[in-house]
Amino acid sequence: MRHYSLTEKLDGCGARLRGIAPVSINGRIVSVSGLVVEVAGLTGQVFVGDQLLLSSRDGASVQAEVAGFRDGLAQTLPFGPLEGLGPGQTVTLLPRTAGFVSVSDAWLGRVIDPLARPLDGRGTVSAGAAPRSISAAPPEATSRARLGDRIALGVRALDLFTTCRLGQRLGLFSGSGVGKSTLLAMLARAAVCDVAVIALVGERGREVREFLEDDLGAMGLARSVVVVATSDAPPVLRRRAAFTAMTVAEHFRDEGRSVLFMMDSVTRFCLAAREIGLSAGEPPSTRGYPPSVFADLPRLLERAGPGEDKGCGATGFITALFTVLVEGDDTNEPVADAVRGILDGHVLLDRRIAEAGRYPPVDVLRSLSRAARGCLTEEEMALTRRARGILALQNETADLVQMGAYRAGTDPAVDEALTLGPRIEALLRQDRAEQTDLDAAFHLLRDVLRPPP
């Protein structure tokens, strides 16, 4: 009798397993209402977050995600249009891997949708070796690394007054039409990093190609992965875009790289989550947002930052910039207030500054980096404090000066503010194509604050 080796036995088992027909778990559509498709016959087989395939009338299929359950029925949200779906049609449970992505270096330079399908016409996106769940938990708080050294963002107003560190998370708060997208484009080109991951959530379809070609450019795109879900995409895809992009960033961070993560915008992510929650029957609470929206925010935002502390300088970082579109320029509206409480700093873009013609319109007096103290020298901190004081005093006395109620020489501090304030404002003005080194920015500020001869 022949004795088979272990390798031969394993090969034989593998061949037999491959010959077994896969089991198909099926259900059926019961009802379609609004954005929700209710499915029966899958009790005990599906869970929240699982992916299904819904068969339509014309033989095509639409992928969907399980959002919840009611009266024994699975409530699903399709990734595509609802036309052609109706009661009685077949539903198939997809493998658990549908909620995973396999990232590799081949993704650099690619533009993909939230399901990792290519949008740039360059063929299939090559998969990596290890699939990652898009709903992964953030690193343990007690074992993740601390923030790293300061990072140059290439925009003087931010480098000087909201100095950012590796692994820090900043929010860019702005009303509509103030210059948020332009500032994001400047950061995408100029910020120092190994890899950039950009999530365009609910973006206008017209602006995507302009951002890729005009703002990011070929060189910027070569080091980037761009995840796009435009405003016409179903809400479940717009929400998923943020989690997919964060998973891509985590892959490169865990390889020890410095990742710049940019998301435009958190507000549209929350609007998509609100549509999903309300469609699933969740009661509205704060300004129409259901509670699940404010549970989703920390689940996403806390995943950015330093990775696990591996020692020996091997830790990677996700330095994150999240834009927040504030409703009616109200920076205290629910989403803005919740985001500001989670992140490590905020940058406010002011409409009045933009209308005055100074771009980027960063209000440095109302912007803050909570981690700046750990990366600035005493001299640099003294420079920024003095500049802030000058700008604040200039703002306080602006009305008196305009009315002619202030006479030069009355107060030396006011005289200094009226002299140096415009020079600081000129330093903060920066063309979208202009880039400045962080150390050079502090050198320029030092020159600006030097008393005139």
Side-chain angles (χ1 to χ4, degrees), residues 109-132:
R110 301 302 304 269
V111 183
I112 61 174
D113 74 358
L115 300 175
R117 299 176 299 198
L119 296 176
D120 51 12
R122 294 171 50 194
T124 305
V125 180
S126 300
R132 305 179 67 104

Side-chain angles (χ1 to χ4, degrees), residues 133-382:
S133 171
I134 66 167
S135 57
E140 288 291 337
T142 54
S143 61
R144 81 187 305 173
R146 300 185 63 173
L147 297 178
D149 298 329
R150 64 190 187 185
I151 178 175
L153 298 177
V155 178
R156 285 191 295 271
L158 304 188
D159 283 339
L160 292 172
F161 294 97
T162 58
T163 313
C164 186
R165 298 173 63 182
L166 285 169
Q168 188 172 344
R169 303 160 304 170
L170 285 176
L172 308 180
F173 294 77
S174 166
S176 59
V178 178
K180 169 176 50 64
S181 298
T182 301
L183 177 58
L184 202 67
M186 294 172 67
L187 294 166
R189 287 194 308 270
V192 177
C193 64
D194 298 324
V195 175
V197 179
I198 304 168
L200 302 179
V201 181
E203 190 65 65
R204 302 177 187 90
R206 173 189 61 82
E207 293 182 345
V208 172
R209 190 170 174 184
E210 294 176 2
F211 176 82
L212 296 174
E213 297 178 0
D214 301 340
D215 298 330
L216 196 57
M219 292 183 63
L221 181 60
R223 66 169 185 173
S224 304
V225 179
V226 184
V227 182
V228 178
T230 51
S231 60
D232 61 318
V236 67
L237 277 185
R238 282 181 272 137
R239 177 180 176 272
R240 184 187 172 107
F243 288 110
T244 298
M246 186 63 74
T247 306
V248 175
E250 288 172 330
H251 165 82
F252 292 110
R253 177 190 64 189
D254 292 347
E255 290 188 339
R257 306 195 207 185
S258 172
V259 181
L260 178 69
F261 180 88
M262 291 180 289
M263 177 174 163
D264 186 17
S265 69
V266 173
T267 305
R268 296 191 182 110
F269 165 80
C270 290
L271 291 174
R274 180 170 70 178
E275 290 180 50
I276 293 170
L278 294 179
S279 297
E282 192 176 355
S285 55
T286 309
R287 290 202 189 177
Y289 287 98
S292 62
V293 173
F294 300 101
D296 272 346
L297 277 174
R299 287 181 55 222
L300 174 69
L301 304 182
E302 286 288 354
R303 290 170 63 179
E308 296 283 347
D309 190 353
K310 300 177 181 178
C312 305
T315 301
F317 298 89
I318 299 176
T319 306
L321 301 168
F322 299 94
T323 68
V324 181
L325 185 64
V326 294
E327 182 180 342
D329 292 344
D330 178 13
T331 56
N332 293 317
E333 56 95 15
V335 170
D337 196 46
V339 171
R340 189 167 51 245
I342 298 171
L343 299 183
D344 307 314
H346 54 271
V347 176
L348 184 66
L349 306 186
D350 190 275
R351 190 177 301 276
R352 290 172 298 178
I353 296 176
E355 291 171 348
R358 196 257 279 168
Y359 285 92
V362 177
D363 187 342
V364 298
L365 297 178
R366 298 168 64 193
S367 300
L368 172 71
S369 169
R370 294 191 177 99
R373 182 176 294 274
C375 65
L376 295 179
T377 66
E378 288 297 328
E379 181 197 9
E380 289 167 342
M381 291 180 62

